[in-house]
C-alpha cells in the first residue's frame, strides 16, 4: 500500500495543525490576539491612573505632615502615619455629628425612594389602568426639571411648616424620585407575565406577590437604585446648606467646606475630612459595582 493511499484514506474532516495557532481549552489563540489583549490592558491601566490618583492622594495627604504637603517637588507618599490631620479636623468642626447627620439623611432617603419606586414601578407594569402610558410620561417629565428650580419653593413651604433645621426638612423633598421608578420598571418588565397571572389565580395579593416573589428576583436592580440614591444623597450640599442653621444639624459636606478656612495653613485638615467623606461611597462602589452594571442594564435586551 502506497503512502498516497494511506494519506488518501484519512478522514475528510481532519485538518493539518496550523503552526501559528495553539489550541487551549477549545479556544484558539494566535500571537496577534495575545498582543492585542496585552495592549488593551496596558491602555486601560494607563487610563486608570488619572482616575485613581486623586483618590489615592486624598488618603495619602491625610497622613502627611504640613511640610510634606508643601514640599517641592510634591511628595507622593507619606513618610509615616501622622494622625494629626484627622484629629485636627475633628477638633475644628463637629465632623462626627455631621457624619451622623449625613448617614441618617442618606439612609432615610434611600429607603424611602426604594419603597416608593418599587410600588410605582409595580403599578405601571402589573396594574392595568386607562392612561397609564400618559401618566408614566408625565412621571418621567419631572426628570427634566432641575432640582435647583424647586429649592426655593420647598424651602418656603418647609419653613412655613416649622421644619427647617430638622431631619424632616432635610429628607422630605427627596422621598420619591422618578429615576428609580424608571429603572425598576425596566427590571419588572422582564418578569414573566404568566407567573404573575398564576400567582394571582392562586389568591396571592399584590403586596404579597411584590414582597415574596418580585423583589427577591430583582435584587440587582434594587441594589443599583439604592446605591445611586445613597451616593447622590450623601453628596448633597446646597439643600442642607439652606435648610439648616445650626452646626448640630448640618451635614458632612458643609463641614468640609468649613475646613477650607484653614486650608492655606494646613491643607491636611481638608484632605483628612475628604478621606472620611469618601469612605462610604468608595466602599459602595467597590463592593457593589457588579450590581450597578446589572441593574442599569436591566431591560436593555429582551
Amino acid at each position: 500500500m502506497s503512502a498516497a493511499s494511506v494519506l488518501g484514506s484519512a478522514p475528510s474532516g481532519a485538518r493539518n495543525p496550523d503552526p501559528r495557532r495553539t489550541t487551549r481549552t477549545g479556544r484558539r489563540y494566535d500571537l496577534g490576539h495575545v498582543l492585542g489583549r496585552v495592549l488593551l490592558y496596558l491602555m486601560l491601566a494607563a487610563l486608570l491612573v488619572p482616575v485613581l490618583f486623586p483618590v489615592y492622594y486624598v488618603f495619602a495627604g491625610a497622613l502627611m505632615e504640613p511640610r510634606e504637603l508643601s514640599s517641592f517637588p510634591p511628595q507622593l507618599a507619606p513618610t509615616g502615619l501622622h494622625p494629626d490631620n484627622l484629629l485636627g479636623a475633628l477638633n475644628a468642626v463637629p465632623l462626627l455629628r455631621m457624619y451622623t447627620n449625613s448617614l441618617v439623611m442618606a439612609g432615610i432617603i434611600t429607603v424611602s425612594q426604594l419603597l416608593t419606586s418599587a410600588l410605582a414601578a409595580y403599578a405601571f407594569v402589573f396594574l392595568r389602568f386607562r392612561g397609564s402610558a400618559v401618566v408614566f410620561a408625565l412621571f418621567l417629565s419631572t426628570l427634566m426639571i432641575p432640582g435647583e428650580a424647586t429649592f426655593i419653593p420647598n424651602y418656603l413651604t418647609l419653613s412655613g411648616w416649622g421644619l427647617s433645621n430638622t431631619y424632616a426638612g432635610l429628607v422630605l423633598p427627596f422621598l420619591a424620585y422618578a429615576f428609580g421608578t424608571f429603572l425598576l420598571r425596566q427590571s419588572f418588565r422582564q418578569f414573566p407575565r404568566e407567573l404573575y397571572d398564576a400567582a394571582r389565580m392562586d389568591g396571592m395579593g399584590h403586596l404579597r406577590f411584590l414582597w415574596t416573589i418580585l423583589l427577591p428576583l430583582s435584587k440587582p436592580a434594587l441594589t443599583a437604585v439604592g446605591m445611586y440614591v445613597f451616593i447622590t444623597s450623601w453628596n448633597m450640599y446646597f439643600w442642607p446648606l439652606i435648610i439648616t442653621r445650626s452646626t448640630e444639624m448640618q451635614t458632612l459636606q458643609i463641614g468640609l467646606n468649613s475646613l477650607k478656612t484653614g486650608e492655606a495653613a494646613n491643607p491636611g485638615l481638608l484632605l483628612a475630612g475628604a478621606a472620611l467623606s469618601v469612605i462610604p461611597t468608595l466602599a459602595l462602589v467597590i463592593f457593589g459595582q457588579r450590581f450597578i452594571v446589572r441593574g442599569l442594564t436591566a431591560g436593555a435586551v429582551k
Side-chain angles (χ1 to χ4, degrees):
M1 183 180 295
S2 64
S5 62
V6 173
L7 294 176
S9 62
S12 59
R15 296 180 179 178
N16 294 329
D18 190 345
R20 296 173 301 173
R21 297 175 180 267
T22 59
T23 302
R24 181 181 180 184
T25 64
R27 298 180 62 185
R28 292 186 172 183
Y29 296 90
D30 57 11
L31 184 59
H33 177 81
V34 174
L35 290 177
R37 300 283 289 188
V38 171
L39 291 176
L40 175 63
Y41 288 136
L42 290 177
M43 182 183 67
L44 292 177
L47 294 175
L48 192 63
V49 171
V51 175
L52 292 182
F53 180 77
V55 179
Y56 160 77
Y57 194 76
V58 165
F59 289 96
L63 300 176
M64 292 183 186
E65 295 180 345
R67 59 179 180 81
E68 295 175 337
L69 289 170
S70 59
S71 63
F72 185 83
Q75 189 168 328
L76 300 181
T79 56
L81 300 180
H82 306 287
D84 296 339
N85 290 330
L86 179 60
L87 297 177
L90 294 176
N91 293 328
V93 294
L95 282 184
L96 293 181
R97 173 67 181 182
M98 295 177 175
Y99 211 95
T100 303
N101 294 337
S102 294
L103 284 176
V104 172
M105 180 187 68
I108 294 176
I109 292 176
T110 301
V111 173
S112 176
Q113 286 199 23
L114 283 176
L115 179 61
T116 56
S117 298
L119 292 175
Y122 180 88
F124 283 124
V125 175
F126 293 102
L127 301 183
R128 304 294 187 183
F129 58 94
R130 182 175 299 180
S132 60
V134 177
V135 174
F136 184 68
L138 293 175
F139 203 76
L140 288 184
S141 65
T142 60
L143 294 175
M144 295 184 292
I145 302 176
E148 292 76 6
T150 64
F151 282 171
I152 300 303
N154 287 336
Y155 173 77
L156 295 176
T157 301
L158 295 177
S159 296
W161 292 348
L163 296 179
S164 60
N165 206 45
T166 63
Y167 284 122
L170 282 172
V171 303
L172 271 179
F174 309 99
L175 296 183
Y177 192 49
F179 184 69
T181 302
F182 171 74
L183 288 182
L184 292 183
R185 175 181 177 270
Q186 297 303 105
S187 176
F188 291 173
R189 290 180 64 185
Q190 307 307 305
F191 190 84
R193 184 78 187 189
E194 295 77 10
L195 294 181
Y196 168 77
D197 294 335
R200 294 290 295 160
M201 291 179 63
D202 288 341
M204 184 174 291
H206 290 293
L207 291 179
R208 183 183 175 189
F209 172 77
L210 175 67
W211 183 258
T212 61
I213 296 179
L214 187 59
L215 292 184
L217 296 177
S218 305
K219 287 182 180 179
L222 289 171
T223 306
V225 172
M227 293 176 59
Y228 171 80
V229 174
F230 183 88
I231 293 174
T232 304
S233 305
W234 178 266
N235 292 325
M236 279 198 305
Y237 173 76
F238 188 63
W239 174 252
L241 179 64
I242 65 175
I243 201 62
T244 59
R245 295 187 301 271
S246 63
T247 56
E248 288 76 13
M249 289 303 304
Q250 290 178 342
T251 59
L252 184 61
Q253 307 305 325
I254 302 176
L256 294 181
N257 187 64
S258 302
L259 289 175
K260 286 184 178 180
T261 55
E263 182 179 0
N266 187 2
L269 298 182
L270 185 60
L271 290 176
L276 287 176
S277 68
V278 81
I279 289 176
T281 56
L282 189 61
L284 282 177
V285 172
I286 291 176
F287 295 106
Q289 58 180 338
R290 62 188 182 97
F291 293 107
I292 295 179
V293 176
R294 291 173 60 185
L296 292 179
T297 57
V301 295
K302 297 289 286 182

